[in-house]
Amino acid sequence: MIRWDDLEARYQGRDAFITKLLGIFTTAHGNFAIQMREFTAAGNATDVARLAHSLKSSAGNIMAMELMDLALRTEQAARRSAPEAMELALQLSDELEATLVEIEARLASRG
C-alpha cells in the first residue's frame, strides 16, 4: 500500500499537489486491471510487460513501493516469457485495485 508519511514528506507542504497526483494516478490506471486480465487471459506477455512498465514509475511517484516492486517483477517475468508472468500479472491487478480503493478512501477523508 501507499507509504503516506513518505509521500507527504516527499511533497512536503504541497497537499494540493498530492491530491492532484493521486487523481492523475487513479485516472491513468483506472482500467488497468481490466486490461491486464484481458492480456493475461490471452497469454499476451508483450502487452502484460508494457502495461506493468507503465504502472511501475507511477506507483513509485505515489510511494506505493510494493506495487512498484510487483510491477517491476511482472514486467521482467513477462519480457522473459517466464511461467510465473501471468500469475504475477493477476496479483498486480489485485494489488492495484486495492491501492485505488485506498486512494479513494484517503481522498474522501480529506474532504
Side-chain angles (χ1 to χ4, degrees), residues 2-111:
I2 296 172
R3 297 179 184 172
W4 294 104
D5 290 341
D6 292 344
L7 179 64
E8 290 170 358
R10 181 182 224 177
Y11 302 110
Q12 190 172 23
R14 299 174 62 198
D15 291 342
F17 177 76
I18 292 171
T19 299
K20 182 178 179 178
L21 184 64
L22 294 171
I24 291 168
F25 181 88
T26 301
T27 300
H29 300 294
N31 292 322
F32 177 98
I34 294 168
Q35 290 177 321
M36 186 61 86
R37 287 187 177 104
E38 288 173 358
F39 296 149
T40 302
N44 186 336
T46 300
D47 283 335
V48 165
R50 179 186 54 78
L51 207 52
H53 178 80
S54 74
L55 178 60
K56 184 176 55 182
S57 61
S58 297
N61 286 340
I62 65 165
M63 302 305 288
M65 306 316 283
E66 291 81 11
L67 182 64
M68 183 180 79
D69 179 62
L70 185 54
L72 173 63
R73 290 187 294 129
T74 302
E75 177 189 8
Q76 290 173 342
R79 290 197 191 285
R80 293 188 322 268
S81 296
E84 70 272 14
M86 298 307 156
E87 179 59 35
L88 287 169
L90 293 175
Q91 290 174 17
L92 184 59
S93 296
D94 292 344
E95 182 70 21
L96 175 62
E97 286 178 332
T99 301
L100 292 172
V101 168
E102 181 183 5
I103 290 169
E104 188 176 308
R106 182 71 170 224
L107 292 177
S109 73
R110 285 185 165 190

